Amino acid sequence: MTAPTPPADPSTGLPGHLFTAIDHVGIAVPDLDIAIAFYRDTFGMELVHEEVNEDQGVREAMVAVGDSGSCLQLLAPLDESSTIAKFLERSGPGMQQLAYRVVDVEAVSAVLRERGVRLLYDEPRRGTAGSRINFVHPKDAGGVLVELVQPATTPH
């Protein structure tokens, strides 16, 4: 049994549920190459994207979870000043974020702000493969860093 889908908001055009899918789960790793090999060789996951994101201070890889459309995002720090380096120092390797796919990151951010939720950025930033992203402050999401991801309209 599935719950009924909330109606779309006519003023924003957003779906009533705001999120369209789990886009990815971010996992902090100390060594990206070792992590890619582990997920490929152990779980049979396919590497579908890899890039360096200087703005975020990470080298990252997306590995597909079967044919679900969801991925694991493996995040390794570029240097010790990276947010991921600080996360690894504090918490060790493991889940760093949960990312939800959205239709319009600016509109979803505005709705969440209206509902009293703090976001980390005033304006969306560039994410993986040209996506547009923002983050919900973990203190406003039960201790979980929630990423909002609007996929790029054209592949990068």
Side-chain angles (χ1 to χ4, degrees):
M1 175 188 260
T2 59
T5 301
D9 181 333
S11 66
T12 64
L14 293 174
H17 44 69
L18 294 183
F19 307 142
T20 61
I22 292 175
D23 189 81
H24 65 270
V25 174
I27 300 176
V29 300
D31 184 300
L32 190 63
D33 295 321
I34 291 172
I36 290 169
F38 172 80
Y39 282 92
R40 180 193 61 229
D41 300 343
T42 306
F43 298 135
M45 293 183 178
E46 177 186 353
L47 176 67
V48 293
H49 182 80
E50 186 176 346
E51 73 179 78
V52 171
N53 186 326
E54 297 281 348
D55 292 340
Q56 301 291 326
V58 296
R59 184 171 160 233
E60 61 182 279
M62 297 295 249
V63 293
V65 180
D67 296 327
S68 69
S70 295
C71 289
L72 294 182
Q73 179 186 43
L74 307 174
L75 299 156
L78 289 178
D79 59 44
E80 64 280 343
S81 68
S82 156
T83 302
I84 293 300
K86 293 172 186 167
F87 178 91
L88 286 165
E89 185 178 310
R90 184 178 59 252
S91 304
M95 186 174 142
Q96 186 264 342
Q97 61 173 273
L98 176 58
Y100 294 104
R101 196 170 304 136
V102 300
V103 174
D104 181 334
V105 69
E106 288 164 322
V108 170
S109 295
V111 168
L112 292 174
R113 283 187 185 101
E114 288 170 9
R115 294 178 181 175
V117 173
R118 290 174 289 172
L119 289 118
L120 298 189
Y121 307 139
D122 291 332
E123 298 292 327
R125 295 192 180 176
R126 182 197 176 281
T128 303
S131 63
R132 299 180 68 233
I133 63 168
N134 207 336
F135 291 89
V136 173
H137 196 290
K139 290 183 179 176
D140 292 349
V144 175
L145 179 61
V146 171
E147 183 177 4
L148 309 173
V149 179
Q150 178 182 335
T153 53
T154 56
H156 286 72

